[in-house]
Amino acid sequence: QVQLVESGGGLVQAGGSLRLSCAASGSISSMNVMGWYRQAPGKVRELVAAIRSEGVIHYGDSVKGRFIISKDSAKNMIALQMNALKPEDTAVYYCHLDNIFGGNSPGSYWGQGTQVTVSS
């Protein structure tokens, strides 16, 4: 099985910064994608940033130039540094893992979510 545990998040003023972390445990595939999604009230869940096991990174258009995703492969951890936060960044942020190839637990996994609130 796979477990994703998120930390960070909270309340910050517009223009401020926050850092989210996610630790993955269990059977992690050698080929995988880890990332962050977010869901605001009444909106669909959207990709924030993702990083593949080979290091390729993708950002959602709304966060490019402001957010940075990083990965510690040895610890199966990812982090999301969020800078220049805007009220529209307010959402529940979810850690996500896609086990693509290898390991014993193929499939898609989600963390429990952490709230990020940006006040104007």
Side-chain angles (χ1 to χ4, degrees), residues 9-117:
L11 174 65
V12 66
Q13 288 188 333
S17 298
L18 281 175
R19 183 177 177 87
L20 305 181
S21 297
C22 175
S25 60
S27 180
I28 311 300
S29 298
S30 56
M31 182 181 294
N32 65 72
V33 182
M34 289 189 72
W36 295 93
Y37 286 73
R38 68 186 183 187
Q39 188 166 19
K43 295 189 176 181
V44 298
R45 192 171 295 189
E46 64 174 355
L47 173 69
V48 176
I51 182 167
R52 299 180 65 90
S53 46
E54 65 268 32
V56 176
I57 291 174
H58 178 75
Y59 292 101
D61 288 341
S62 61
V63 306
K64 285 180 180 177
R66 299 188 297 124
F67 291 11
I68 301 171
I69 189 170
S70 59
K71 184 175 184 178
D72 185 337
S73 297
K75 297 180 179 179
N76 288 321
M77 292 183 67
I78 60 170
L80 184 69
Q81 179 64 40
M82 304 183 292
N83 302 318
L85 283 160
K86 304 175 182 180
E88 51 263 44
D89 293 317
T90 295
V92 178
Y93 284 68
Y94 296 91
C95 182
H96 179 254
L97 167 68
D98 258 334
N99 273 342
I100 298 173
F101 182 79
N104 300 318
S105 299
S108 182
Y109 299 89
W110 294 94
Q112 78 282 3
T114 185
Q115 177 70 45
V116 171
T117 302

